[in-house]
Amino acid sequence: MKINKTNAARLLDKAKIAYELIPYEVDENDLSAVHVAASLGEDINCVFKTLILHGDKSGYFVCVIPGEHEVDLKLAAKASGNKKCDLIPVKELLPLTGYIRGGCSPIGMKKPFPTYIHETCLRFPYIYISAGQRGLQLKLDPKDLVREVHAEVCILFNE
């Protein structure tokens, strides 16, 4: 089966970063990272989801966290230099990032946003993130992702 490269994959090629494109079965009723991890037969802790938030001082920013966790808004605000922040409404996702819910990659958004990745990513030799479309994940070294998106590794929820 031929897998078409996404914009995120092309950007990784351009940066000479090794990755794998991994397809999975999409369930329109369950777009969660938990479903993705189960479909891939992977540990949920190495399947990360991409969330877009808006802070009262910085504006938009990105948080990348393990799939079964919820971002702690106080910790996200602190990491991003805001007093408070909120997740953006789903209807704003596509116009802002170019991605849809269930297919939002931290790589290749319409414009770069400050990005924060939860520190547990560094516990794994590879993690999964969305390749930029539903049904396709990127498997890559988390250190490469941190470098590519100029992310700050920090605590985004309490374990």
Side-chain angles (χ1 to χ4, degrees):
M1 179 179 110
K2 184 178 183 323
I3 299 171
N4 290 324
K5 285 212 173 162
T6 61
N7 189 40
R10 285 189 287 276
L11 288 168
L12 290 174
D13 287 342
K14 189 175 170 194
K16 297 187 176 12
I17 292 173
Y19 66 90
E20 287 179 61
L21 278 172
I22 312 285
Y24 68 93
E25 196 65 40
V26 177
D27 178 350
E28 293 294 335
N29 298 314
D30 184 2
L31 297 173
S32 72
V34 175
H35 168 75
V36 173
S39 299
L40 298 173
E42 284 286 351
D43 177 351
I44 183 59
N45 293 305
C46 70
V47 178
F48 281 65
K49 61 186 175 185
T50 304
L51 304 170
I52 314 301
L53 293 89
H54 188 268
D56 61 345
K57 291 188 162 98
S58 70
Y60 297 106
F61 64 97
V62 177
C63 288
V64 183
I65 64 171
E68 69 179 347
H69 290 279
E70 296 298 320
V71 67
D72 180 317
L73 295 175
K74 285 189 172 109
L75 291 172
K78 183 178 175 189
S80 61
N82 289 286
K83 274 199 173 13
K84 62 181 188 160
C85 64
D86 284 298
L87 288 162
I88 65 164
V90 173
K91 68 180 189 298
E92 291 180 20
L93 189 63
L94 181 61
L96 186 67
T97 66
Y99 291 128
I100 59 171
R101 181 170 173 260
C104 186
S105 179
I107 302 168
M109 292 187 185
K110 282 184 173 179
K111 62 182 235 183
F113 295 107
T115 302
Y116 304 88
I117 300 178
H118 189 68
E119 65 179 7
T120 56
C121 71
L122 299 177
R123 295 180 191 166
F124 301 99
Y126 60 84
I127 61 169
Y128 292 86
I129 57 168
S130 175
Q133 68 185 48
R134 291 178 183 168
L136 201 56
Q137 290 281 299
L138 284 167
K139 178 181 177 182
L140 76 168
D141 183 323
K143 293 186 280 310
D144 289 336
L145 175 61
V146 167
R147 272 194 308 275
E148 176 63 14
V149 298
H150 308 289
E152 188 177 313
V153 177
C154 56
I155 297 173
L156 296 168
F157 60 87
N158 288 309
E159 290 184 68

